[in-house]
Amino acid sequence: MGDTLLALSIPVLVFASGIYAACESWWRRRHPAPPSPYTHQAARLAEHAMLVDAERIVNGAYETLGTLYAGPTAADTPVPATAVRPGAAASQDHDRSAPAPAQRG
């Protein structure tokens, strides 16, 4: 009798676990879990951290390259090239210019 109960307990256990899984599946479909607020909070924190990193990168780049955007100062004003004048060899039209004469020396 002990062997018969042991042999029948395995199919009963499998059948009971199948019934339990079916009932749990039915219950989960009828009563879904609400969304976790921790996932939304984690997304907000990650977004905030990303914005802080981006702001730090932009500020560092502006500190490094800010002088390019500030414009010329009194010490950086270019000196006009007075020695350069258009000569007679310069073409008046928009075509290619005549080649310059070869200089020896």
Side-chain angles (χ1 to χ4, degrees):
M1 180 76 177
D3 292 338
T4 307
L5 287 177
L6 182 62
L8 290 177
S9 68
I10 293 172
V12 168
L13 182 65
V14 170
F15 182 73
S17 63
I19 294 293
Y20 175 78
C23 291
E24 183 182 16
S25 175
W26 176 83
W27 178 262
R28 291 290 174 204
R29 274 189 269 126
R30 297 290 189 265
H31 304 89
S36 175
Y38 298 110
T39 56
H40 297 291
Q41 182 181 6
R44 283 193 303 270
L45 290 174
E47 181 182 1
H48 180 69
M50 180 181 61
L51 289 175
V52 168
D53 288 343
E55 184 179 0
R56 183 181 47 82
I57 290 170
V58 169
N59 287 342
Y62 187 76
E63 288 175 6
T64 304
L65 303 173
T67 58
L68 295 175
Y69 300 109
T73 58
D76 294 338
T77 54
V79 178
T82 56
V84 179
R85 295 186 183 154
S91 62
Q92 298 298 321
D93 56 357
H94 296 290
D95 292 335
R96 293 182 70 182
S97 298
Q103 295 182 0
R104 296 184 185 176

